[in-house]
Amino acid sequence: MKSIRIYRFLWKVVGEDHQLLIVCDKKTRTIFAISGLLFLIYLVIGVLAYRFVFNGIFKIPAVSWVLALIWTAIIFNIYKLNLSTFSADRPNYNGGYIISLFVRLIFMALIGVTLIKPLEALVFNDLMNEGLARVSSKKMAGSMDVSDRYFSAEIGQVEQELSSLEEQVVAGRISIQEEAFAALEAKKKQLAIEQSAMRKETDLLFQPSELFFLGLLELNRNHPWLWLLSLFLLTLFLSPLLLKFSISPQSIYTKGKLSVQKRMILEEYSRFKKLYPELFDRVGHAEIIWEENYMDAPFNKKRKQKNFHLGKENEYLKQIHGL
Protein backbone atom coordinates (compact mmCIF):
# COMPACT_ATOMS: atom_id res chain seq x y z
CA MET A 1 0.00 0.00 0.00
CA LYS A 2 2.84 2.37 0.75
CA SER A 3 4.35 1.85 -2.69
CA ILE A 4 0.94 2.52 -4.28
CA ARG A 5 0.65 5.80 -2.36
CA ILE A 6 4.10 6.82 -3.56
CA TYR A 7 3.18 5.89 -7.12
CA ARG A 8 -0.05 7.88 -6.90
CA PHE A 9 1.87 10.90 -5.64
CA LEU A 10 4.41 10.67 -8.48
CA TRP A 11 1.65 10.27 -11.06
CA LYS A 12 -0.13 13.37 -9.75
CA VAL A 13 3.13 15.33 -9.74
CA VAL A 14 3.59 14.77 -13.45
CA GLY A 15 -0.09 15.50 -14.20
CA GLU A 16 -1.27 12.01 -15.18
CA ASP A 17 -4.59 10.32 -14.40
CA HIS A 18 -3.89 8.19 -11.33
CA GLN A 19 -7.33 6.54 -11.46
CA LEU A 20 -6.55 5.10 -14.87
CA LEU A 21 -2.96 4.20 -14.05
CA ILE A 22 -3.97 2.14 -11.02
CA VAL A 23 -5.57 -0.45 -13.35
CA CYS A 24 -2.74 -0.45 -15.91
CA ASP A 25 0.09 -2.93 -16.23
CA LYS A 26 3.24 -2.66 -14.13
CA LYS A 27 5.37 -1.33 -17.00
CA THR A 28 3.04 1.63 -17.67
CA ARG A 29 2.77 2.48 -13.98
CA THR A 30 6.55 2.33 -13.56
CA ILE A 31 7.18 4.56 -16.59
CA PHE A 32 4.95 7.32 -15.25
CA ALA A 33 6.37 6.92 -11.73
CA ILE A 34 9.88 7.45 -13.15
CA SER A 35 8.58 10.53 -15.01
CA GLY A 36 7.19 11.92 -11.76
CA LEU A 37 10.45 11.25 -9.92
CA LEU A 38 12.47 12.98 -12.66
CA PHE A 39 10.05 15.91 -12.54
CA LEU A 40 10.63 16.30 -8.79
CA ILE A 41 14.42 16.13 -9.24
CA TYR A 42 14.30 18.79 -11.95
CA LEU A 43 12.06 20.92 -9.74
CA VAL A 44 14.58 20.92 -6.88
CA ILE A 45 17.46 21.58 -9.28
CA GLY A 46 15.45 24.43 -10.80
CA VAL A 47 14.95 26.15 -7.45
CA LEU A 48 18.69 25.96 -6.65
CA ALA A 49 19.84 27.02 -10.12
CA TYR A 50 17.40 29.92 -10.43
CA ARG A 51 18.22 31.07 -6.91
CA PHE A 52 21.90 31.17 -7.92
CA VAL A 53 21.04 33.33 -10.94
CA PHE A 54 18.84 35.78 -9.04
CA ASN A 55 21.38 36.06 -6.25
CA GLY A 56 24.08 36.78 -8.82
CA ILE A 57 21.94 39.61 -10.20
CA PHE A 58 20.43 41.22 -7.10
CA LYS A 59 22.83 40.17 -4.31
CA ILE A 60 19.91 39.80 -1.88
CA PRO A 61 19.67 36.16 -0.71
CA ALA A 62 16.16 36.35 0.80
CA VAL A 63 14.68 38.00 -2.30
CA SER A 64 16.59 35.55 -4.50
CA TRP A 65 14.86 32.58 -2.86
CA VAL A 66 11.41 34.13 -3.34
CA LEU A 67 12.07 34.98 -6.98
CA ALA A 68 13.52 31.52 -7.59
CA LEU A 69 10.43 29.83 -6.17
CA ILE A 70 8.08 32.00 -8.26
CA TRP A 71 10.08 31.53 -11.46
CA THR A 72 10.40 27.77 -10.88
CA ALA A 73 6.64 27.50 -10.37
CA ILE A 74 6.00 29.32 -13.67
CA ILE A 75 8.53 27.32 -15.70
CA PHE A 76 7.57 23.91 -14.32
CA ASN A 77 3.85 24.51 -14.67
CA ILE A 78 4.46 25.14 -18.37
CA TYR A 79 6.65 22.03 -18.48
CA LYS A 80 3.97 19.98 -16.72
CA LEU A 81 1.27 21.30 -19.07
CA ASN A 82 3.28 20.17 -22.10
CA LEU A 83 3.80 16.73 -20.57
CA SER A 84 0.21 16.15 -19.48
CA THR A 85 -1.35 17.34 -22.76
CA PHE A 86 0.94 15.23 -24.92
CA SER A 87 -1.00 12.23 -26.23
CA ALA A 88 0.57 8.85 -26.93
CA ASP A 89 -2.15 8.23 -29.51
CA ARG A 90 -0.41 8.45 -32.88
CA PRO A 91 -2.40 6.50 -35.48
CA ASN A 92 -0.44 8.02 -38.35
CA TYR A 93 2.53 10.32 -38.72
CA ASN A 94 0.92 12.97 -40.88
CA GLY A 95 2.34 16.43 -41.48
CA GLY A 96 0.23 18.12 -38.82
CA TYR A 97 1.24 15.62 -36.14
CA ILE A 98 4.95 15.91 -36.98
CA ILE A 99 4.86 19.73 -36.99
CA SER A 100 2.97 19.79 -33.68
CA LEU A 101 5.45 17.37 -32.11
CA PHE A 102 8.42 19.35 -33.45
CA VAL A 103 7.08 22.67 -32.09
CA ARG A 104 6.41 21.05 -28.71
CA LEU A 105 9.96 19.64 -28.56
CA ILE A 106 11.51 23.00 -29.49
CA PHE A 107 9.45 24.81 -26.86
CA MET A 108 10.35 22.30 -24.15
CA ALA A 109 14.01 22.43 -25.21
CA LEU A 110 14.00 26.21 -24.71
CA ILE A 111 12.53 25.71 -21.24
CA GLY A 112 15.28 23.16 -20.57
CA VAL A 113 18.02 25.59 -21.61
CA THR A 114 16.75 28.14 -19.07
CA LEU A 115 17.35 25.48 -16.41
CA ILE A 116 20.54 23.85 -17.69
CA LYS A 117 22.69 26.96 -18.21
CA PRO A 118 22.12 28.33 -14.67
CA LEU A 119 22.81 24.82 -13.35
CA GLU A 120 26.13 24.73 -15.19
CA ALA A 121 27.01 28.16 -13.81
CA LEU A 122 26.23 26.91 -10.31
CA VAL A 123 28.30 23.73 -10.66
CA PHE A 124 31.21 25.37 -12.50
CA ASN A 125 31.14 28.64 -10.59
CA ASP A 126 34.93 28.67 -10.11
CA LEU A 127 35.55 28.35 -13.85
CA MET A 128 33.05 31.12 -14.53
CA ASN A 129 34.72 33.43 -12.02
CA GLU A 130 38.17 32.79 -13.50
CA GLY A 131 37.05 33.68 -17.00
CA LEU A 132 35.10 36.66 -15.74
CA ALA A 133 38.09 37.95 -13.79
CA ARG A 134 40.21 37.93 -16.95
CA VAL A 135 37.59 39.71 -19.00
CA SER A 136 36.80 42.28 -16.32
CA SER A 137 40.52 43.06 -15.83
CA LYS A 138 40.95 43.66 -19.57
CA LYS A 139 37.88 45.88 -19.75
CA MET A 140 38.92 47.73 -16.60
CA ALA A 141 42.46 48.31 -17.94
CA GLY A 142 41.07 49.66 -21.21
CA SER A 143 38.61 51.96 -19.47
CA MET A 144 41.23 53.23 -17.01
CA ASP A 145 43.68 53.84 -19.85
CA VAL A 146 41.16 56.08 -21.62
CA SER A 147 40.33 58.04 -18.45
CA ASP A 148 44.02 58.32 -17.44
CA ARG A 149 44.97 59.74 -20.83
CA TYR A 150 42.17 62.28 -20.57
CA PHE A 151 43.10 63.44 -17.06
CA SER A 152 46.82 63.41 -17.88
CA ALA A 153 46.17 65.71 -20.84
CA GLU A 154 44.04 68.05 -18.72
CA ILE A 155 46.58 68.15 -15.84
CA GLY A 156 49.42 68.67 -18.33
CA GLN A 157 47.61 71.62 -19.83
CA VAL A 158 47.14 73.18 -16.37
CA GLU A 159 50.84 72.66 -15.59
CA GLN A 160 51.78 74.37 -18.85
CA GLU A 161 49.61 77.33 -17.92
CA LEU A 162 51.29 77.47 -14.51
CA SER A 163 54.77 77.34 -16.08
CA SER A 164 53.85 80.01 -18.58
CA LEU A 165 52.48 82.23 -15.82
CA GLU A 166 55.63 81.76 -13.72
CA GLU A 167 57.88 82.65 -16.69
CA GLN A 168 55.92 85.83 -17.30
CA VAL A 169 56.19 86.79 -13.62
CA VAL A 170 59.94 86.12 -13.56
CA ALA A 171 60.46 88.09 -16.78
CA GLY A 172 58.60 90.99 -15.25
CA ARG A 173 56.03 91.13 -18.00
CA ILE A 174 53.21 90.80 -15.50
CA SER A 175 52.89 91.44 -11.80
CA ILE A 176 52.43 88.59 -9.32
CA GLN A 177 48.85 87.34 -9.46
CA GLU A 178 48.19 85.12 -6.46
CA GLU A 179 44.57 84.53 -7.45
CA ALA A 180 45.55 83.18 -10.87
CA PHE A 181 48.13 80.82 -9.35
CA ALA A 182 45.65 79.68 -6.71
CA ALA A 183 42.94 79.01 -9.31
CA LEU A 184 45.27 76.94 -11.49
CA GLU A 185 46.58 74.97 -8.49
CA ALA A 186 43.01 74.33 -7.34
CA LYS A 187 42.05 73.14 -10.82
CA LYS A 188 45.06 70.80 -10.92
CA LYS A 189 44.20 69.40 -7.51
CA GLN A 190 40.53 68.91 -8.49
CA LEU A 191 41.54 67.04 -11.65
CA ALA A 192 43.73 64.72 -9.58
CA ILE A 193 40.81 64.05 -7.19
CA GLU A 194 38.45 63.32 -10.10
CA GLN A 195 40.99 60.99 -11.67
CA SER A 196 41.30 59.03 -8.42
CA ALA A 197 37.49 58.85 -8.05
CA MET A 198 37.12 57.69 -11.65
CA ARG A 199 39.60 54.88 -11.06
CA LYS A 200 37.66 53.72 -8.00
CA GLU A 201 34.33 53.83 -9.86
CA THR A 202 35.83 51.88 -12.76
CA ASP A 203 37.21 49.31 -10.35
CA LEU A 204 33.76 48.84 -8.76
CA LEU A 205 32.01 48.80 -12.14
CA PHE A 206 34.08 45.92 -13.45
CA GLN A 207 33.98 43.75 -10.37
CA PRO A 208 33.18 40.13 -11.41
CA SER A 209 30.14 40.08 -9.13
CA GLU A 210 28.58 42.93 -11.12
CA LEU A 211 28.92 41.14 -14.47
CA PHE A 212 26.99 37.92 -13.89
CA PHE A 213 25.59 37.42 -17.38
CA LEU A 214 28.95 38.24 -18.94
CA GLY A 215 30.33 35.45 -16.79
CA LEU A 216 27.80 32.99 -18.23
CA LEU A 217 28.83 33.95 -21.76
CA GLU A 218 32.52 33.64 -20.97
CA LEU A 219 32.00 30.24 -19.32
CA ASN A 220 30.46 28.79 -22.49
CA ARG A 221 32.90 30.60 -24.78
CA ASN A 222 36.03 29.41 -22.99
CA HIS A 223 34.77 25.87 -22.38
CA PRO A 224 33.01 24.55 -25.54
CA TRP A 225 32.73 21.05 -24.03
CA LEU A 226 29.97 22.44 -21.84
CA TRP A 227 27.65 22.35 -24.86
CA LEU A 228 28.04 18.55 -24.99
CA LEU A 229 27.11 18.46 -21.31
CA SER A 230 24.16 20.75 -22.07
CA LEU A 231 22.98 18.39 -24.80
CA PHE A 232 23.18 15.43 -22.42
CA LEU A 233 21.29 17.31 -19.68
CA LEU A 234 18.71 18.48 -22.21
CA THR A 235 18.10 14.86 -23.22
CA LEU A 236 17.53 14.02 -19.55
CA PHE A 237 15.19 17.00 -19.23
CA LEU A 238 13.12 15.75 -22.17
CA SER A 239 13.18 12.13 -20.95
CA PRO A 240 9.69 12.29 -19.32
CA LEU A 241 8.28 13.25 -22.73
CA LEU A 242 10.26 10.45 -24.40
CA LEU A 243 9.04 7.99 -21.77
CA LYS A 244 5.44 8.97 -22.43
CA PHE A 245 6.05 8.64 -26.15
CA SER A 246 7.12 5.02 -25.53
CA ILE A 247 3.64 4.11 -24.27
CA SER A 248 1.78 2.11 -26.90
CA PRO A 249 -1.31 3.72 -28.49
CA GLN A 250 -3.08 0.41 -27.84
CA SER A 251 -2.31 0.42 -24.12
CA ILE A 252 -5.06 0.50 -21.51
CA TYR A 253 -3.93 3.90 -20.31
CA THR A 254 -3.92 5.54 -23.74
CA LYS A 255 -7.29 4.12 -24.75
CA GLY A 256 -8.78 4.89 -21.34
CA LYS A 257 -7.55 8.49 -21.36
CA LEU A 258 -8.81 9.06 -24.91
CA SER A 259 -12.17 7.60 -23.89
CA VAL A 260 -12.40 9.92 -20.87
CA GLN A 261 -11.44 12.93 -22.98
CA LYS A 262 -13.97 12.01 -25.67
CA ARG A 263 -16.73 11.60 -23.09
CA MET A 264 -15.93 14.99 -21.55
CA ILE A 265 -16.03 16.68 -24.97
CA LEU A 266 -19.35 15.04 -25.86
CA GLU A 267 -20.88 16.05 -22.53
CA GLU A 268 -19.76 19.66 -22.96
CA TYR A 269 -21.00 19.68 -26.56
CA SER A 270 -24.38 18.30 -25.53
CA ARG A 271 -24.66 20.94 -22.86
CA PHE A 272 -23.70 23.64 -25.36
CA LYS A 273 -26.39 22.52 -27.83
CA LYS A 274 -28.94 22.74 -25.04
CA LEU A 275 -27.91 26.13 -23.61
CA TYR A 276 -27.18 27.95 -26.90
CA PRO A 277 -30.80 28.06 -28.18
CA GLU A 278 -32.06 28.86 -24.67
CA LEU A 279 -29.73 31.87 -24.52
CA PHE A 280 -31.05 33.34 -27.78
CA ASP A 281 -34.64 32.63 -26.80
CA ARG A 282 -34.11 34.38 -23.46
CA VAL A 283 -32.34 37.42 -24.92
CA GLY A 284 -34.07 38.08 -28.24
CA HIS A 285 -36.80 35.45 -28.46
CA ALA A 286 -35.06 34.15 -31.55
CA GLU A 287 -35.61 30.60 -32.71
CA ILE A 288 -32.40 28.67 -33.36
CA ILE A 289 -32.46 25.75 -35.79
CA TRP A 290 -29.56 23.42 -35.03
CA GLU A 291 -28.05 21.66 -38.02
CA GLU A 292 -25.07 19.31 -37.98
CA ASN A 293 -23.22 18.52 -41.17
CA TYR A 294 -21.03 15.84 -39.62
CA MET A 295 -21.93 12.41 -38.32
CA ASP A 296 -19.37 12.62 -35.48
CA ALA A 297 -19.90 16.20 -34.30
CA PRO A 298 -18.12 17.99 -32.66
CA PHE A 299 -15.03 16.11 -33.88
CA ASN A 300 -16.12 16.76 -37.51
CA LYS A 301 -14.24 13.98 -39.25
CA LYS A 302 -17.12 12.16 -41.00
CA ARG A 303 -19.23 14.43 -43.18
CA LYS A 304 -22.87 13.51 -43.77
CA GLN A 305 -23.79 12.44 -47.28
CA LYS A 306 -26.34 14.76 -48.82
CA ASN A 307 -28.77 12.94 -51.12
CA PHE A 308 -30.27 15.22 -53.77
CA HIS A 309 -33.30 14.01 -55.69
CA LEU A 310 -33.13 15.15 -59.29
CA GLY A 311 -36.50 15.21 -61.02
CA LYS A 312 -37.19 14.37 -64.63
CA GLU A 313 -37.59 16.99 -67.37
CA ASN A 314 -41.34 16.58 -67.74
CA GLU A 315 -41.78 17.07 -64.00
CA TYR A 316 -39.96 20.43 -64.11
CA LEU A 317 -42.01 21.54 -67.13
CA LYS A 318 -45.21 20.70 -65.32
CA GLN A 319 -43.99 22.65 -62.29
CA ILE A 320 -43.10 25.68 -64.44
CA HIS A 321 -46.47 25.71 -66.21
CA GLY A 322 -48.38 24.99 -63.06
CA LEU A 323 -49.73 21.71 -64.32
Side-chain angles (χ1 to χ4, degrees), residues 73-274:
I74 294 172
I75 291 296
F76 277 85
N77 269 298
I78 298 173
Y79 180 59
K80 182 177 178 179
L81 178 65
N82 276 272
L83 285 177
S84 60
T85 56
F86 175 75
S87 175
D89 180 40
R90 44 187 189 282
N92 51 27
Y93 289 91
N94 54 33
Y97 178 81
I98 293 174
I99 292 174
S100 174
L101 180 61
F102 178 76
V103 171
R104 187 185 291 264
L105 285 172
I106 292 296
F107 185 68
M108 292 185 70
L110 292 175
I111 294 175
V113 170
T114 67
L115 171 66
I116 291 167
K117 287 306 175 183
L119 175 62
E120 290 175 350
L122 173 62
V123 175
F124 301 104
N125 188 34
D126 292 338
L127 291 177
M128 185 179 74
N129 289 335
E130 289 176 7
L132 184 55
R134 289 193 298 270
V135 173
S136 61
S137 62
K138 290 180 181 179
K139 289 183 175 293
M140 184 169 60
S143 179
M144 284 186 176
D145 182 62
V146 172
S147 63
D148 285 346
R149 281 191 278 112
Y150 167 76
F151 282 107
S152 295
E154 290 293 319
I155 292 173
Q157 184 178 355
V158 173
E159 289 176 344
Q160 288 180 0
E161 292 180 6
L162 281 170
S163 298
S164 175
L165 190 61
E166 288 176 357
E167 290 175 0
Q168 294 180 35
V169 170
V170 171
R173 289 194 295 271
I174 61 173
S175 59
I176 298 176
Q177 297 183 357
E178 295 295 338
E179 293 181 0
F181 277 106
L184 289 173
E185 288 291 347
K187 183 177 181 181
K188 180 181 176 181
K189 186 176 180 180
Q190 182 63 32
L191 286 170
I193 293 173
E194 290 179 2
Q195 182 181 18
S196 177
M198 181 65 72
R199 292 181 68 88
K200 291 180 180 179
E201 289 179 8
T202 304
D203 186 59
L204 292 174
L205 181 64
F206 289 101
Q207 285 294 321
S209 60
E210 302 298 328
L211 303 170
F212 184 79
F213 287 109
L214 181 60
L216 290 177
L217 294 174
E218 287 300 313
L219 177 64
N220 289 275
R221 185 182 303 165
N222 296 331
H223 305 281
W225 55 268
L226 278 175
W227 289 103
L228 294 176
L229 178 61
S230 299
L231 184 61
F232 173 72
L233 293 175
L234 186 60
T235 304
L236 291 180
F237 184 78
L238 295 176
S239 58
L241 181 66
L242 302 177
L243 286 172
K244 190 169 184 179
F245 194 79
S246 68
I247 301 295
S248 171
Q250 304 303 319
S251 66
I252 296 175
Y253 180 73
T254 303
K255 288 184 175 181
K257 192 168 184 179
L258 289 174
S259 176
V260 170
Q261 291 173 349
K262 184 177 181 179
R263 187 167 65 250
M264 290 174 61
I265 292 172
L266 290 174
E267 289 176 357
E268 290 297 324
Y269 181 63
S270 177
R271 188 182 177 196
F272 170 76
K273 287 195 298 183
K274 179 183 177 182

Side-chain angles (χ1 to χ4, degrees), residues 43-54:
L43 185 68
V44 174
I45 291 174
V47 172
L48 297 176
Y50 293 138
R51 184 263 170 190
F52 176 74
V53 171
F54 286 119

